[in-house]
Amino acid sequence: MIKSIIPDIEAINNLIYIILDIGEIGSLVDIEHNPKVKESEAYMRWAKIHNLQEQSKTFNYMSEHGLLNGTQLDEELAALQTAYDQAKEEVKETEKRLKEVNRSLRLMGQYYRTKKVYQSYRRSSNKKSYREEYSSELALYDAAVKELRSIYSDGKFPPIQDLKKKKTELSSQKSEQYENYRDIRNQWMDVSRIVRNRDSFLKKQRDQERTESPKM
């Protein structure tokens, strides 16, 4: 099993019960910058109603879970952001290692397919003629050996079975890591949406208060 990469297990676990019932709270439409709003008055009316509905659901949700005051939601989002970034990096690192193993497997296959031709060339009494006849096979052999030596500087090439075993292990590890990454990403997206909706409403509220405040 893959060890969890979540930096603060307790913080994330405390948030899970909240995340589970986020439900169908949607993102707000950016009325000021959305091109559809400028093109269609009907869409603008729909967007305004949609935003009011989503803002209402957002604040009902936050009220039910005691998130209207304090910084808990922002702290949880920061923890999820860290976990999301780390999970993504782990998947990338495993993909990189898997790519390296696949490269070695390809080169080892090329090496063994052309090794007999190379051995026959070494035993040949007329190497020039033999190389001309089997130039493509020998070129593939030379290329495989050159690349393999750049990977394994000690000149000891690993058995294909060991590479296949490593590939299986890395493929399994990648699947587990990706599942973990996907779960964290979904949680991060849900909480991000709530935070954006909250911040959008609060900004609009502050702008309105500034507009309505009497000028000195």
Side-chain angles (χ1 to χ4, degrees):
M1 295 294 292
I2 305 302
K3 185 178 180 181
S4 173
I5 51 78
I6 300 177
D8 190 341
I9 298 294
E10 185 176 355
I12 300 299
N13 285 341
N14 289 338
L15 184 61
I16 287 178
Y17 84 97
I18 295 176
I19 295 172
L20 290 176
D21 66 347
I22 283 180
E24 297 300 320
I25 297 177
S27 298
L28 302 183
V29 176
D30 185 352
I31 293 178
E32 185 177 350
H33 301 101
N34 192 303
K36 288 186 179 180
V37 172
K38 299 177 181 179
E39 296 170 0
S40 171
E41 191 173 328
Y43 184 83
M44 178 183 288
R45 288 196 298 270
W46 173 87
K48 288 180 177 179
I49 295 172
H50 167 81
N51 284 357
L52 288 172
Q53 291 173 336
E54 300 310 317
Q55 287 170 349
S56 177
K57 286 190 284 187
T58 297
F59 276 85
N60 286 340
Y61 170 86
M62 293 177 66
S63 178
E64 289 172 5
H65 294 93
L67 299 171
L68 287 174
N69 299 314
T71 60
Q72 180 188 354
L73 195 61
D74 299 287
E75 291 169 356
E76 300 295 2
L77 180 59
L80 281 170
Q81 177 71 62
T82 299
Y84 170 72
D85 291 340
Q86 291 182 351
K88 183 163 62 173
E89 285 305 311
E90 278 212 350
V91 172
K92 285 183 178 180
E93 180 60 29
T94 301
E95 286 177 340
K96 178 182 175 182
R97 293 171 62 196
L98 190 55
K99 185 177 180 180
E100 291 169 352
V101 170
N102 283 330
R103 180 191 176 199
S104 291
L105 275 170
R106 175 182 61 79
L107 291 170
M108 289 301 297
Q110 182 174 316
Y111 169 77
Y112 281 116
R113 282 195 305 272
T114 56
K115 187 177 180 179
K116 287 185 178 180
V117 175
Y118 175 76
Q119 290 173 334
S120 296
Y121 163 74
R122 293 280 293 177
R123 294 191 297 266
S124 174
S125 58
N126 190 343
K127 289 184 172 54
K128 182 178 179 181
S129 176
Y130 192 94
R131 178 168 283 279
E132 288 176 354
E133 184 176 356
Y134 295 98
S135 60
S136 60
E137 290 89 344
L138 290 171
L140 287 172
Y141 175 85
D142 291 341
V145 170
K146 183 179 179 180
E147 282 199 63
L148 285 167
R149 284 178 177 167
S150 72
I151 300 171
Y152 306 100
S153 57
D154 59 2
K156 297 178 180 179
F157 303 159
I160 286 183
Q161 284 305 118
D162 288 356
L163 289 172
K164 287 183 177 179
K165 181 180 178 181
K166 188 64 176 178
K167 179 179 179 177
T168 299
E169 292 173 354
L170 287 171
S171 296
S172 176
Q173 179 173 299
K174 178 186 172 182
S175 295
E176 290 187 38
Q177 288 175 336
Y178 185 78
E179 183 177 353
N180 181 55
Y181 158 76
R182 184 182 58 192
D183 290 343
I184 294 173
R185 180 192 62 188
N186 290 340
Q187 294 174 23
W188 171 76
M189 290 175 66
D190 285 341
V191 177
S192 294
R193 188 167 63 253
I194 295 295
V195 170
R196 286 196 305 271
N197 288 0
R198 178 204 65 185
D199 291 349
S200 177
F201 174 80
L202 292 177
K203 180 181 181 301
K204 182 178 179 181
Q205 191 175 54
R206 288 193 298 268
D207 291 345
Q208 185 175 351
E209 287 173 356
R210 282 197 296 268
T211 301
E212 294 176 351
S213 61
K215 296 181 179 179
M216 299 298 294

